[in-house]
């Protein structure tokens, strides 16, 4: 057994990470303070003090805020079994922090990370989620949230109750800010991970429902200069509410597509919502019809006969300026019901009933935020018979597999642009083949089609694994808009995934010229350089990426490989550990660190990290292979065989793994199985000289010197400097009675840098 280890350091694949319709473009957004007529919302309170005071107590008025120390006087802790991580929230020196750690090798604390809580999302009526503002001015969602249920509990943030959650790496997008806060001041970066510079509003303000206030202030309150939703027609009234409360699903579908000509914060009260965005839904009968989610108020209400057969709006039941709760709220809602249903239950509520709301709009647990119970706005004749508030596990409510099927226009369904309908099919890969055909047809009919649309087609082809078509359309997008950063970034990632590293590096260089601080682009470019053997350039590029964002695990892992190639093992180990610190379930980084530790002789800790790599990705053939080799070195032969057999099963075309398994089987005298594995390795990789040597040794022991000699000669023919094969052939020739030729091979073996081979050859020569 040769005991090879450390041969499976893993670079990792390209990071596509550039999502969304116009990722990478920075637009001067309309609808912001100082632009398009917006003013600081505090100005509104000058004339409308009572309304402003009452509104600040509502959920919308408290939707986004800075944290208050008094809310965190008592330290809180939470253990998450699925990811085996411990979290704590505490306050000190006037700031609040969320911390994570794990129990690591030998039970010692490891992977400890602490981030400040800089903002709170949510009023606390149902939940509060926390944000950290990083050095790039991105808002990062923190993994643990507070829920009002059961008097207040800590649990994982929505979408995080899984082993491979995003921990401290999920950046808040414009779509999150759009619905959870007032419009931010200044320019809006229209990217998947926008930056938010300067101060941020604290809560949804008056102008989200009443439109920009500058003209109203300048005219000293002229009614015609401000939007009064009560005076809008029904559709426009509903649009004001539905800008945030109409979500068909939080699952990848997509729920909506903002129109290309619109900035992320450009919707204004009073205009048709359909001019800003088109909403989409799953096709009927696909198993999602009764799904209930946290932002389903308008979506569920629109299903109701009460809504369809009347002129009711959201304000029929809700006063947006007043906080309503308890018995007062219930009386208000019942009065609204009796406005249309005065004769209903004239003799009194049926036995066992509570109110109209209890029976016809019952509270129900949401399936995307499983620790929240909300009123179901689908007004039903009969209350469903099951327990609507029964506890749910996120694992069972958020599908592991995304929706696959037709995506249909939902709102405004009657005038949905065919371009956006085609785009909806491919945006999240829901209906890829049909969508590609529709989108391609739309572009080919219009020679002046927008570069963004062409980019989306390229992305769809990349998702479908059609690299040549993807490259063609990405390049076309760049031709239509020179310097289009998002298209160049995806072009580079697609070429890397196809193994076309030289072209990937060229595209990455063009992308970084227009996006010099984009960590994803820098990391992909560094990856391409590594694949090309341009280690110095890879190191410089990846250094730049981690200086911008030290929490970017892929960049840290690749930088570890770059410095390892330069012989700096200590720096490599540090980088691999930094990658794991940011992403504890990062299988490639665990595998790389394990190989490094094994080469250094730290077998116990190497085994720990191989096990972590396999736990994070049970289908990781290289990690099973590496762990098997480590177990060989520590003489755990049966366990080693199990790992190597699993590696072969997962990657049956890995010639080296077949050869290593054959070495072990030969040592365990399972000669027939060993011979089969050696021959399979040679078939897969005829240049794999170790396999010829192993098979030759096996045949020699089994009394077949002629075939053994043939295998040794094949090994030497493929590598004339293979000293072990020269030694084996020389010894065989001595036994055969051919001393002259034996001396030639033994002298060659004596040139080996391996002391054991050199000593054996010299002894044979004597």
């Amino acid at each position: 057994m040769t005991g090879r280890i450390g041969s499976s350091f893993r670079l990792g694949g390209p990071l596509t990470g550039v999502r969304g319709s116009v990722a990478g473009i920075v637009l001067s957004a309309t609808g912001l303070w100082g632009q398009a007529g917006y003013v600081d919302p505090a100005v509104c309170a000058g004339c409308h003090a009572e309304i402003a005071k009452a509104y600040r107590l509502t959920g919308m008025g408290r939707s986004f805020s800075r944290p208050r120390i008094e809310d965190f006087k008592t330290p809180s802790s939470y253990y998450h079994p699925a990811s085996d991580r411990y979290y704590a929230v505490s306050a000190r020196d006037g700031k609040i922090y969320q911390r994570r750690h794990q129990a690591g090798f030998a039970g010692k604390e490891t992977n400890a990370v602490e981030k400040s809580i800089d903002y709170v999302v949510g009023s606390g009526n149902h939940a509060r989620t926390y944000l950290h503002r990083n050095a790039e001015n991105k808002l990062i969602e923190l993994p643990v949230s507070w829920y009002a249920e059961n008097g207040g509990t800590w649990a994982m943030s929505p979408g995080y109750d899984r082993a491979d959650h995003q921990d401290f790496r999920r950046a808040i997008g414009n779509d999150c800010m759009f619905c959870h806060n007032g419009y931010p001041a200044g320019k809006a970066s229209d990217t998947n991970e926008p930056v938010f510079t300067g101060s941020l509003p604290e809560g949804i303000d008056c102008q989200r429902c009443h439109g920009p206030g500058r003209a109203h202030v300048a005219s000293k309150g002229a009614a015609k200069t401000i939007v009064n939703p009560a005076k809008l027609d029904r559709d426009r009234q509903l649009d004001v509410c539905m800008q945030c409360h109409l979500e068909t699903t939080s699952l990848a579908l997509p729920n909506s597509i903002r129109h290309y000509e619109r900035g992320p914060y450009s919707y204004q009260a009073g205009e048709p919502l359909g001019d800003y965005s088109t909403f989409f839904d799953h096709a009927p009968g696909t198993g999602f019809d009764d799904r209930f989610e946290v932002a389903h108020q308008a979506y569920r209400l629109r299903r109701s006969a009460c809504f369809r057969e009347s002129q009711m709006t959201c304000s029929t039941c809700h006063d947006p300026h007043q906080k309503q709760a308890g018995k007062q709220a219930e009386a208000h809602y019942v009065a609204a019901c009796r406005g249309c249903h005065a004769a209903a239950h004239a003799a009194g509520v049926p036995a066992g009933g509570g109110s109209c709301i209890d029976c016809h709009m019952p509270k129900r647990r949401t399936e995307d935020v499983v620790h929240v119970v909300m009123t179901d706005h689908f007004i039903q004749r009969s209350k469903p018979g099951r327990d609507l508030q029964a506890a749910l596990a996120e694992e069972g409510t958020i599908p592991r597999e995304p929706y696959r099927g037709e995506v249909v226009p939902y709102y405004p369904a009657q005038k949905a642009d065919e371009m956006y309908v085609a785009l909806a099919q491919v945006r999240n890969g829901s209906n890829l083949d049909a969508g590609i055909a529709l989108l391609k047809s739309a572009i080919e009919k219009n020679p002046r089609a927008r570069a963004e649309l062409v980019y989306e087609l390229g992305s769809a082809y990349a998702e479908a694994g059609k690299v040549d078509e993807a490259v063609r359309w990405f390049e076309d997008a760049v031709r239509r808009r020179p310097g289009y950063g998002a298209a160049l970034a995806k072009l580079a990632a697609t070429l890397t995934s196809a193994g076309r590293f030289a072209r990937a590096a060229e595209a990455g260089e063009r992308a970084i010229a227009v996006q010099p601080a984009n960590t994803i682009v820098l990391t992909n470019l560094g990856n391409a350089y590594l694949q090309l053997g341009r280690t110095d350039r890879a190191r410089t590029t990846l250094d730049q990426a981690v200086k911008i964002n030290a929490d970017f695990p892929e960049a840290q892992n690749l930088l570890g490989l770059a410095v390892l190639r330069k012989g700096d093992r200590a720096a490599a180990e540090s980088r691999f550990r930094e990658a794991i610190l940011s992403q504890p379930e990062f299988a490639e980084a665990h595998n790389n660190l394990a190989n490094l530790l094994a080469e250094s002789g730290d077998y116990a800790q190497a085994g720990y990290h191989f096990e972590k790599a396999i736990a994070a990705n049970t289908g990781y053939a290289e990690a099973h292979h590496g762990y098997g080799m480590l177990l060989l070195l520590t003489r755990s032969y049966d366990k080693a065989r199990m790992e190597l057999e699993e590696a072969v099963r997962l990657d049956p075309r890995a010639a080296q793994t077949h050869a290593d398994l054959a070495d072990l089987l030969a040592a365990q005298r399972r000669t027939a199985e060993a011979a089969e594995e050696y021959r399979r390795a040679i078939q897969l990789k005829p240049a794999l000289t170790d396999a010829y040597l192993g098979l030759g040794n096996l045949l020699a022991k089994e009394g077949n010197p002629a075939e053994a000699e043939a295998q040794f000669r094949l090994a030497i023919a493929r590598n004339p400097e293979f000293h072990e094969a020269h030694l084996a052939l020389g010894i065989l020739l001595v036994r055969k009675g051919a001393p002259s030729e034996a001396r030639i091979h033994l002298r060659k073996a004596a040139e080996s840098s391996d002391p054991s081979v050199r000593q054996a050859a010299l002894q044979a020569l004597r």
Side-chain angles (χ1 to χ4, degrees):
M1 289 176 287
T2 60
R4 289 176 295 268
I5 198 163
S7 59
S8 61
F9 288 100
R10 181 76 171 263
L11 272 72
L15 304 165
T16 54
V18 185
R19 300 176 293 272
S21 60
V22 286
I25 310 166
V26 177
L27 301 175
S28 178
T30 60
L32 308 180
W33 304 358
Q35 302 176 56
Y38 283 79
V39 297
D40 186 327
V43 174
C44 304
C47 295
H48 305 282
E50 290 302 316
I51 291 177
K53 181 179 179 181
Y55 174 74
R56 288 298 299 167
L57 299 176
T58 67
M60 290 189 295
R62 296 179 291 118
S63 61
F64 194 96
S65 62
R66 288 191 173 276
R68 302 186 310 164
I69 292 291
E70 53 265 34
D71 291 336
F72 298 91
K73 287 183 178 179
T74 303
S76 302
S77 60
Y78 177 75
Y79 172 64
H80 184 230
S83 62
D84 190 25
R85 296 173 204 182
Y86 298 84
Y87 293 95
V89 178
S90 61
R92 68 174 186 274
D93 302 326
K95 296 212 69 173
I96 306 159
Y97 299 89
Q98 193 167 121
R99 186 180 190 272
R100 172 258 282 160
H101 78 274
Q102 291 183 293
F105 177 67
K108 296 179 180 178
E109 180 179 287
T110 190
N111 297 332
V113 171
E114 186 174 73
K115 300 293 183 185
S116 60
I117 294 176
D118 298 316
Y119 295 100
V120 180
V121 179
S123 64
N125 289 346
H126 298 290
R128 293 190 185 103
T129 293
Y130 305 99
L131 307 182
H132 168 71
R133 194 175 203 165
N134 70 9
E136 296 180 88
N137 279 315
K138 293 178 180 178
L139 296 178
I140 306 300
E141 182 174 347
L142 300 183
V144 176
S145 291
W146 180 89
Y147 297 93
E149 188 175 40
N150 299 323
T153 58
W154 293 95
M156 300 306 288
S157 297
Y160 279 72
D161 196 5
R162 50 193 296 167
D164 57 347
H165 60 72
Q166 290 182 276
D167 216 20
F168 294 90
R169 306 188 309 279
R170 182 184 180 188
I172 292 296
N174 285 314
D175 52 346
C176 297
M177 185 64 73
F178 179 91
C179 282
H180 285 284
N181 201 10
Y183 287 165
K187 291 184 177 181
S189 55
D190 198 1
T191 65
N192 184 59
E193 295 187 358
V195 298
F196 297 95
T197 57
S199 62
L200 290 173
E202 294 194 38
I204 296 166
D205 64 69
C206 311
Q207 295 167 102
R208 290 301 302 277
C209 299
H210 293 280
R214 183 188 297 169
H216 188 61
V217 172
S219 69
K220 297 183 179 180
K224 66 181 180 181
T225 60
I226 199 74
V227 174
N228 183 347
K231 295 182 178 180
L232 297 174
D233 64 40
R234 185 194 190 210
D235 289 340
R236 297 295 78 77
Q237 281 191 51
L238 289 165
D239 283 349
V240 170
C241 301
M242 291 196 304
Q243 63 176 305
C244 294
H245 291 280
L246 176 63
E247 184 175 73
T248 59
T249 182
S250 60
L251 303 176
L253 192 59
N255 157 69
S256 66
I257 296 177
R258 174 165 44 85
H259 297 172
Y260 282 125
E261 67 277 9
R262 302 300 297 264
Y265 304 107
S266 64
Y267 175 75
Q268 295 185 7
E271 71 169 314
L273 185 57
D275 290 351
Y276 172 79
S277 184
T278 300
F279 292 78
F280 295 92
D281 199 3
H282 55 79
T286 50
F288 293 86
D289 293 336
D290 192 44
R291 185 174 172 82
F292 180 59
E293 300 185 11
V294 77
H296 259 177
Q297 292 86 357
Y299 180 67
R300 298 283 286 178
L301 178 66
R302 288 167 58 85
R303 295 181 60 183
S304 309
C306 286
F307 176 84
R308 296 194 310 269
E309 297 174 14
S310 75
Q311 289 297 303
M312 72 180 297
T313 66
C314 302
S315 59
T316 301
C317 299
H318 295 284
D319 181 348
H321 296 133
Q322 296 288 333
K323 179 181 179 180
Q324 296 172 318
K327 293 296 183 180
Q328 179 186 11
E330 181 179 304
H332 177 82
Y333 299 142
V334 169
C337 295
R338 290 196 175 278
C340 293
H341 302 282
H345 306 307
V349 177
S355 71
C356 310
I357 310 303
D358 293 333
C359 291
H360 302 289
M361 297 178 67
K363 291 187 179 296
R364 180 173 169 182
R365 189 169 299 279
T366 62
E367 295 175 52
D368 53 343
V369 185
V370 296
H371 302 290
V372 166
V373 172
M374 302 183 75
T375 297
D376 186 354
H377 282 64
F378 177 26
I379 307 169
Q380 304 177 63
R381 180 178 293 274
S382 301
K383 182 179 179 179
R386 65 186 185 279
D387 182 358
L388 299 176
Q389 297 184 35
L392 296 174
E394 186 175 280
E395 183 73 20
T397 61
I398 298 180
R400 282 284 182 178
E401 295 300 321
Y403 172 77
R404 291 292 178 258
E406 184 184 5
V407 181
V408 297
Y410 177 75
Y411 184 83
Q414 301 306 315
K415 59 174 185 176
D417 188 311
E418 65 177 354
M419 177 183 72
Y420 291 114
V421 174
L423 188 55
Q425 311 307 310
V426 303
R427 174 63 68 79
N428 294 99
S430 296
N431 192 20
L432 205 53
D433 291 340
I436 285 174
L438 290 170
L439 197 52
K440 183 179 179 183
S441 176
I443 292 170
E444 289 176 339
K445 289 177 184 177
N446 181 11
R448 301 183 66 183
R450 300 178 66 104
E452 297 95 332
L453 201 63
V454 177
Y455 161 83
E456 295 276 9
L457 181 57
S459 298
Y461 274 119
E463 178 81 8
K466 298 179 179 179
V467 174
D468 290 335
E469 285 297 305
V471 168
R472 170 196 165 192
W473 290 102
F474 286 140
E475 289 178 335
D476 188 15
V478 176
R479 179 186 60 80
R480 293 170 191 250
R481 186 202 296 167
Y484 186 5
L488 287 167
K490 284 292 282 286
L491 173 62
T494 301
L495 289 166
T496 299
S497 68
R500 304 176 191 177
F501 303 120
R503 288 190 65 192
E506 186 271 336
E509 288 164 356
R510 291 163 64 195
I512 213 63
V514 294
Q515 301 180 86
N518 188 314
T519 49
I520 290 176
V521 175
L522 285 165
T523 302
N524 278 334
L525 179 57
N527 193 359
Y529 286 149
L530 272 176
Q531 301 278 8
L532 291 167
R534 298 163 69 178
T535 306
D536 288 335
R537 295 203 69 174
R539 182 173 181 173
T540 301
T541 303
L542 293 164
D543 259 327
Q544 187 179 351
V546 299
K547 284 177 182 175
I548 294 169
N549 184 358
D551 295 333
F552 201 51
E554 291 86 354
Q556 293 281 13
N557 180 54
L558 290 168
L559 184 54
L561 292 169
V563 297
L564 183 62
R565 286 188 181 179
K566 303 299 289 186
D568 194 340
R569 300 174 65 85
E573 179 177 343
S574 175
R575 294 300 179 178
F576 295 146
R577 291 189 186 279
E578 285 291 327
I580 294 166
L581 176 67
S582 294
Q583 184 178 343
E585 78 287 359
F586 193 174
E588 284 81 2
H590 278 291
N591 180 69
N592 291 338
L593 179 57
N595 274 290
L596 188 63
L597 292 167
E599 287 184 343
S600 302
D602 190 346
Y603 295 163
Q605 194 172 178
Y608 169 84
H609 285 286
F610 275 130
E611 289 173 355
K612 286 292 183 182
I614 292 167
N617 179 5
T618 56
Y620 191 176
E622 293 97 324
H624 284 285
H625 179 202
Y627 192 28
M629 299 307 295
L630 178 69
L631 291 165
L632 263 178
L633 291 173
T634 56
R635 301 185 179 185
S636 298
Y637 298 127
D638 289 338
K639 290 182 179 179
R641 188 179 74 250
M642 291 173 59
E643 292 297 331
L644 292 173
E645 287 174 344
E646 181 65 5
V648 165
R649 185 189 70 80
L650 291 167
D651 187 5
R653 300 195 59 78
Q656 186 65 63
T657 312
H658 283 283
D660 290 334
L661 176 58
D663 285 347
L664 174 56
L665 292 168
Q668 293 185 318
R669 298 182 181 180
R670 300 169 67 160
T671 54
E673 296 170 75
E676 182 181 347
E677 292 296 334
Y678 281 131
R679 295 185 192 282
R680 179 61 176 155
I682 292 167
Q683 180 185 18
L684 288 166
K685 189 177 180 180
L688 187 59
T689 53
D690 282 350
Y692 294 102
L693 175 63
L695 181 57
N697 285 328
L698 183 68
L699 292 166
K701 288 179 181 178
E702 290 297 303
N704 190 348
E707 183 60 26
E709 180 181 339
Q711 296 300 322
F712 295 147
R713 292 187 184 280
L714 285 170
I716 293 168
R718 283 162 174 77
N719 180 9
E721 302 300 315
F722 192 4
H723 299 104
E724 288 177 87
H726 281 289
L727 175 62
L729 180 57
I731 292 172
L732 188 68
L733 289 169
V734 168
R735 293 171 179 168
K736 182 181 177 181
S740 297
E741 187 182 3
R743 275 193 292 271
I744 295 171
H745 290 287
L746 291 171
R747 285 172 182 154
K748 187 66 178 177
E751 298 174 2
S752 173
S753 60
D754 185 333
S756 62
V757 175
R758 186 170 62 250
Q759 185 64 34
L762 291 172
Q763 184 176 349
L765 282 168
R766 285 194 293 269

